[in-house]
Structures are given as C-alpha cells and as structure tokens.
C-alpha cells in the first residue's frame, strides 16, 4: 500500500495514464506489514482493454528500490563530503580537459586569480602561462600516461594584473575504461617566495 502522503500523487498519475498521457518511472513510498516504509518505483504502465475497447485495468512493473536509493544517497553524501573537503583547502584545485579547458575550480583558485567560477570554468588556462613556459607545461601533460598518471611541474603564470607568479602543480591524468584520456585533476600552490629566495641565493653565491 502506498502511504497517504504519496497516495494522491499516485491517483493523479493513474488518471493521467488512463487519459492517454505517457509517464516515465515514478517513485513512491510504500508500507510494509510492520508499518515501516520503503521506496518503490512504478514504471512500464500499460492500459488493459476489454473486447469492446474499454479500459479495464492497468499493468505496471513495481520494483523495490530500497538498495539503489540507499546507494544513491551514499553517493550524494560522499560527493558532498568530497566537495566540502576540496572547497576548504588552501591549495588551488582544478580539473580540465585535454585541450586545457577548465571544468572545475575550487574557492582558492577563484580567490587567487580574482575571478568567479563562471569566469574561470570554460576558459583555456594555457593563456595565463607565459609563452616561455607553455611548451614545458604541454610536454609535461603529454608525458602523463595510464602507467604513470601523476607528475609535478613548476611554471610561471600571468595574473590579470600583469604580475608574474610561480606555481607548483601536481597533475593527475584521468582515463576511462578504454584507457582514453578524458580529464586532468590538478593541485597547485604558489611558490613565488621560494623561487625568489633561490634566485637571491644564487646571486649571493656568485658574488
């Protein structure tokens, strides 16, 4: 038996079916004998007619989706937890396609570059890498493979203000089940202070 909260919706959907409307799968809550509720899916609704063409019944497939619903809830929960962890990181975290188009950036990326998500997602990040470092970055990503999917690189970036900063990125190549490259996930941080200190030390050693 469908519980009272969903009963009116079920009746309304049955009325639509008998009027000839095509409905997709619908979820409802049903009651067990012990009074506990569980989710069900009703789909593949077919009207049954008598010899005179009058509708006399309905044939439907009813499936208990308790397990799949639980799995879906756990996936959503894990996704929410992952997103919360990623967004709380001070590291720059992003994902991008093989053509370098950004598909995801965390809050730290937005703050660092002074841009909104809408301004960054869909943008090709290669344009912010100075030309003298662009070939190095491209070669680094090209060398990542299914056997060696992770690598680290240091290169410069040009901010919208024109300032040049140094960054260190650890990139991971992501492949599908056919070993085709589909995306990269990257974690980066600003290392400008370290680079300036190294440069100052080299100059001091030369003197």
């Amino acid at each position: 038996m469908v519980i009272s909260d969903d009963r009116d919706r079920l009746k309304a959907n049955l009325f639509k079916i008998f009027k000839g409307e095509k409905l997709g799968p619908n979820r409802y809550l049903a009651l067990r004998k012990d009074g506990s509720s569980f989710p069900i899916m009703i789909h593949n609704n077919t009207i049954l007619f008598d010899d005179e063409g009058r509708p006399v019944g309905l044939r439907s497939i009813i499936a208990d989706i308790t397990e799949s619903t639980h799995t879906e809830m756990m996936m959503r929960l894990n996704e929410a937890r992952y997103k919360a962890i990623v967004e709380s990181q001070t590291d720059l975290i992003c994902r991008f396609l093989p053509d370098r188009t950004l598909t995801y950036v965390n809050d730290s990326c937005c703050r660092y570059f002074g841009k909104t998500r809408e301004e960054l997602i869909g943008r090709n990040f290669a344009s912010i890498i100075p030309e003298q470092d662009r070939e190095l970055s491209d070669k680094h990503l090209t060398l990542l493979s299914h056997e060696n999917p992770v690598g680290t690189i240091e290169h410069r970036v040009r901010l919208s203000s024109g300032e040049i900063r140094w960054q260190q990125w650890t990139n991971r190549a992501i492949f599908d089940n056919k070993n085709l490259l589909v995306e990269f996930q990257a974690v980066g941080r600003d290392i400008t202070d370290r680079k300036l200190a190294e440069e100052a030390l080299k100059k001091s050693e030369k003197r």
Side-chain angles (χ1 to χ4, degrees):
M1 176 185 294
V2 175
I3 66 174
S4 58
D5 290 346
D6 279 352
R7 200 171 299 157
D8 290 340
R9 184 165 62 89
L10 174 60
K11 288 181 179 179
N13 285 338
L14 292 176
F15 182 71
K16 291 178 182 178
I17 293 170
F18 278 108
K19 284 180 63 178
E21 293 187 32
K22 298 293 184 181
L23 295 184
N26 278 277
R27 296 186 182 192
Y28 306 93
L29 282 180
L31 288 177
R32 296 188 177 91
K33 291 182 179 180
D34 61 5
S36 62
S37 62
F38 65 101
I40 61 173
M41 178 81 76
I42 299 180
H43 58 102
N44 285 10
N45 302 293
T46 303
I47 301 175
L48 303 177
F49 299 91
D50 62 15
D51 294 338
E52 298 180 4
R54 294 174 298 190
V56 293
L58 185 70
R59 182 175 61 219
S60 303
I61 295 177
I62 302 176
D64 184 338
I65 57 172
T66 303
E67 185 174 346
S68 61
T69 300
H70 176 72
T71 301
E72 182 180 339
M73 289 175 60
M74 291 304 298
M75 288 177 63
R76 289 180 179 178
L77 179 60
N78 289 335
E79 182 180 351
R81 287 173 175 169
Y82 172 78
K83 186 175 181 180
I85 292 172
V86 169
E87 292 302 338
S88 65
Q89 295 297 309
T90 56
D91 288 336
L92 312 178
I93 300 177
C94 68
R95 294 173 74 101
F96 55 92
L97 300 175
D99 67 357
R100 315 304 188 254
T101 299
L102 291 166
T103 59
Y104 170 80
V105 291
N106 71 343
D107 286 342
S108 293
C109 271
C110 295
R111 288 192 296 268
Y112 184 89
F113 291 105
K115 301 284 185 180
T116 64
R117 271 191 174 82
E118 292 72 21
E119 291 173 316
L120 290 175
I121 293 177
R123 176 181 178 181
N124 191 310
F125 74 83
S127 60
I128 67 172
I129 301 176
E131 289 187 12
Q132 60 267 38
D133 288 2
R134 203 170 297 168
E135 184 178 349
L136 176 68
S137 174
D138 288 342
K139 183 178 180 181
H140 161 75
L141 294 175
T142 302
L143 290 175
L144 298 182
S145 64
H146 187 265
E147 292 74 23
N148 298 289
V150 180
T152 300
I153 185 175
E154 296 177 358
H155 61 72
R156 286 161 287 191
V157 295
R158 181 181 290 106
L159 303 184
S160 55
S161 63
E163 179 185 4
I164 300 295
R165 306 285 296 181
W166 276 94
Q167 294 178 339
Q168 181 187 77
W169 286 93
T170 298
N171 298 299
R172 173 181 287 276
I174 300 172
F175 299 86
D176 63 14
N177 55 11
K178 295 182 180 179
N179 291 339
L180 296 176
L181 177 65
V182 293
E183 202 172 20
F184 292 94
Q185 178 164 302
V187 179
R189 60 192 179 94
D190 189 295
I191 57 169
T192 305
D193 291 343
R194 195 198 81 194
K195 283 291 187 179
L196 293 177
E198 290 174 353
E199 185 178 343
L201 180 61
K202 289 179 181 178
K203 290 180 180 179
S204 176
E205 289 174 345
K206 287 182 180 179
R207 289 196 299 269

